[in-house]
Amino acid sequence: MEKKRTRAEELAWTRERILKTAQNLFMEKGYRAVSTREIASECGITQPALYYHFSDKESLYVAMLQGFVAKIGKRLKSVSKPTVAERLETMLEVLSEEHPSSMMMMLHDTLVEFKEENRGFIFKLWKEAYLDSFVAVFEEMKNEGTLREQISPEEAARFCLLTLGQTMSTWEGKPQSLAGQFKTLVDLILHGTKKTES
């Protein structure tokens, strides 16, 4: 016979279910298109039960994003490959696997829909998990003398993420293997389009 959950365990279980359901819906449809009524219905709870855990839709989104971004940041920081190109390719693969929706949609939602204090908090999350991971790769290039002097590691990292965000927003049902696309994307990021003189 299954042991009955305590009140605290039941509350924690419900909160996790709300967060998981919210993540699936927000990432699929975007912030504006999802209502707390829909999230509650998908969870099999009432709206007041949802509001017991989260005061409003924005606080729910922020809490969902915290866990979501932390998981991605951990994976990005753990990437270890011998070359910068391989590392960047693997990091882009991590983002495409873990990110069920367009990063551009997430960015738009944050800038347009949220209060100033939440925008600042979300930017901090994004910077620590995403941007700093890519900055570290370009810092290594700078230290090796292979990054162009007029480009900072942060500018290179932002360009890399922006390029991926734009690319992801055009994928309709992600292809099974994106390895070739990432190789080309990283080649363009590292070497540009200009033919080198032989």
Side-chain angles (χ1 to χ4, degrees):
M1 188 171 157
E2 193 177 323
K3 185 183 167 199
K4 192 171 174 5
R5 292 187 192 102
T6 64
R7 168 97 173 124
E9 289 170 336
E10 187 65 38
L11 288 172
W13 182 80
T14 301
R15 180 183 168 84
E16 280 309 305
R17 191 168 46 146
I18 293 168
L19 287 168
K20 188 171 176 49
T21 302
Q23 179 180 314
N24 292 338
L25 290 170
F26 284 138
M27 293 302 161
E28 178 189 336
K29 299 178 177 185
Y31 179 80
R32 184 177 281 187
V34 177
S35 68
T36 54
R37 184 183 309 280
E38 181 180 11
I39 295 166
S41 174
E42 287 280 324
C43 288
I45 61 174
T46 63
Q47 257 185 306
L50 184 146
Y51 288 132
Y52 175 84
H53 295 275
F54 303 98
S55 59
D56 56 23
K57 184 168 88 165
E58 191 168 325
S59 64
L60 171 55
Y61 188 92
V62 170
M64 174 279 299
L65 208 55
Q66 239 179 318
F68 176 71
V69 167
K71 179 183 168 192
I72 292 175
K74 193 172 179 182
R75 280 200 63 197
L76 288 174
K77 284 176 175 56
S78 71
V79 170
S80 174
K81 294 285 180 181
T83 69
V84 165
E86 288 173 310
R87 208 162 322 133
L88 286 173
E89 285 172 37
T90 304
M91 290 167 79
L92 295 177
E93 284 173 22
V94 166
L95 287 180
S96 77
E97 288 167 13
E98 295 288 347
H99 235 284
S101 75
S102 164
M103 283 193 290
M104 299 311 284
M105 181 169 67
M106 267 181 62
L107 182 61
H108 175 269
D109 288 346
T110 302
L111 292 174
V112 173
E113 306 286 345
F114 289 15
K115 297 176 205 147
E116 183 62 40
E117 65 267 19
N118 284 335
R119 283 200 301 262
F121 180 69
I122 290 169
F123 174 75
K124 183 175 176 281
L125 289 177
W126 175 80
K127 182 182 179 309
E128 289 170 359
Y130 294 60
L131 186 63
D132 289 351
S133 299
F134 282 85
V135 167
V137 175
F138 292 105
E139 283 280 5
E140 184 181 318
M141 285 181 67
K142 181 180 179 180
N143 294 338
E144 292 170 350
T146 56
L147 184 68
R148 284 171 38 206
E149 287 177 18
Q150 66 270 37
I151 298 173
S152 74
E154 184 168 329
E155 287 169 331
R158 284 176 180 274
F159 176 75
C160 190
L161 284 167
L162 182 63
T163 303
L164 177 68
Q166 291 288 359
T167 304
M168 285 174 73
S169 68
T170 64
W171 292 338
E172 299 208 10
K174 294 178 191 166
Q176 288 296 323
S177 173
L178 295 164
Q181 290 183 28
F182 290 135
K183 198 171 197 63
T184 301
L185 191 59
V186 168
D187 185 48
L188 284 167
I189 288 166
L190 294 179
H191 309 292
T193 58
K194 188 175 179 183
K195 186 176 179 180
T196 54
E197 300 296 325
S198 354

